Amino acid sequence: MYQTVLGTSTTVGGAGAIAALPNTGGSRNVVLYVALASIVLGVAILTSNLLRFVAKHRYTA
Amino acid sequence: MNQKSTKSKKSKKQPKQNRWQLSAGLAFILIGLIVGGISLFNVWQGQRSTTKPQPLSKVLSHEKSQKASPSNDQSLISGTPVRIRVPSVNIDLNVIPGYYYPATKSWTLSLNNAQYAVMTAKANNQQGDTFIYAHARYGVFHDLPKILPGAETIITTDNGHTFTYKFQSSSITTPDDTTLFDYKGKPVLILQTCTGTYFQNRQLFVFNLAKVS
């Protein structure tokens, strides 16, 4: 339908074969990844301290 | 005696070390939450449209109802877009062809150019939608959500024509919403970029043809 008036189709089966719109995402948010890494590091430090505390009190009790 | 004093020194150091580690852990978490929160806020702020998005079916059905009726004294003017300018949001880009591959269900993409979906209508004065898409990146379509109703977009074609469109409305939809490819109404321009925290949605900006030169 578009071919006669408005331009050629370059998909097999014409525009009806299109399953999705283009994936036009933005730039990767590096700051967000750094923030997540910081949170993970903080949690890791606290967890290791907690485990050490539990182990110490378990074996000295 | 010496062993006792070494042991007591060590035990004094231990609580101090633990306190530092706890402080460091909490500081990392706090900094991460603050920085992450600010970053997410900026993403949300940047994607906020100045106009409220409408459902795509509503926007395009309005255009369709003013159906394409080429008048006898209006000859067809059309051309392949090669440049797009949206002065109100500082967009000035080359337009290159964009193709869709049914086998892989994927589109060709460019980091820095806008792309004209070649299976849609060329810029013309009679019928159909001209679909141009680009990434939501700085210097590309990042600032498009800031566009106001009535703002102009100027499309230059390969044969030297200039099509001026005016912004009507935008729509946020899912990637699998391909209804725009069924549109057959009066000539419109549809620009697309991604939106959402993870750019998981598609924002479509519909423009009406204002003039051709």
Side-chain angles (χ1 to χ4, degrees), chain B residues 62-106:
Chain B
H62 169 73
E63 301 310 317
K64 215 188 281 185
S65 68
Q66 302 173 36
K67 62 180 179 181
S69 51
S71 57
N72 288 334
D73 55 352
Q74 192 183 19
S75 56
L76 171 66
I77 303 172
S78 76
T80 302
V82 292
R83 188 179 175 202
I84 179 170
R85 280 181 297 133
V86 190
S88 63
V89 289
N90 295 318
I91 290 173
D92 186 350
L93 298 166
N94 291 326
V95 181
I96 62 175
Y99 303 96
Y100 177 76
Y101 298 103
T104 54
K105 293 183 185 173
S106 63

Side-chain angles (χ1 to χ4, degrees), chain A residues 41-53:
Chain A
L41 182 62
V43 168
I45 292 171
L46 291 180
T47 308
S48 76
N49 270 284
L50 180 66
L51 289 173
R52 206 178 307 134
F53 176 81

